[in-house]
Amino acid sequence: MSVRVRRVYEPPEAEDGVRVLVDRLWPRGLAKDAARVDEWPKALTPSTELRRWYHAGEGSYEEFARRYEAELAEPEAAELLDGLRASARKATVTLLTAAKSPEQSHAAVLARLLQA
């Protein structure tokens, strides 16, 4: 199983496989054709409330990850997560995010769950 996490602003690479945008909002200043996004499953992204809570600095990354995992357990998100996991078993899946620190973002949580 191969899951990668990259910033959406980085140029696409041949090794990316299926490119999945995992941000709820389209990245600022990025043309859709330049991003080469294959999928944009918004139900897999953190809720607006959770995203705002985390970016306001009100809680730790660990608490954010716990809350995000709870959101991903909801039926629609869980179904999308299972589908993405199946895709990752067949080919490389690259999770794309605009986060400045992808290793401390929802994309890292998602990657961990996909590889579990």
Side-chain angles (χ1 to χ4, degrees):
M1 181 176 295
S2 180
V3 178
R4 302 173 68 189
V5 176
R6 298 186 65 216
R7 291 199 71 221
V8 69
Y9 297 108
E10 296 172 4
E13 295 179 351
E15 305 83 42
D16 286 347
V18 178
R19 292 171 54 87
V20 181
L21 180 62
V22 293
D23 290 348
R24 187 164 296 261
L25 305 174
W26 187 263
R28 289 184 183 163
L30 185 65
K32 290 189 179 185
D33 58 334
R36 289 201 14 228
V37 169
D38 297 309
E39 298 178 26
W40 189 13
K42 293 182 185 178
L44 277 181
T45 65
S47 66
T48 300
E49 296 78 19
L50 180 58
R51 185 174 45 81
R52 287 181 179 160
W53 173 83
Y54 183 53
H55 291 296
E58 295 178 21
S60 67
Y61 176 72
E62 291 75 20
E63 178 64 15
F64 167 77
R66 188 188 66 71
R67 291 181 183 194
Y68 181 42
E69 286 180 34
E71 289 185 355
L72 290 171
E74 295 295 320
E76 183 181 5
E79 185 176 330
L80 287 168
L81 188 61
D82 287 343
L84 202 51
R85 191 176 287 121
S87 294
R89 285 188 193 110
K90 298 175 193 168
T92 301
V93 170
T94 299
L95 305 177
L96 302 169
T97 181
K100 292 180 183 176
S101 299
E103 64 282 349
Q104 289 286 308
S105 74
H106 64 288
V109 174
L110 195 52
R112 181 175 47 77
L113 291 176
L114 286 172
Q115 294 172 340

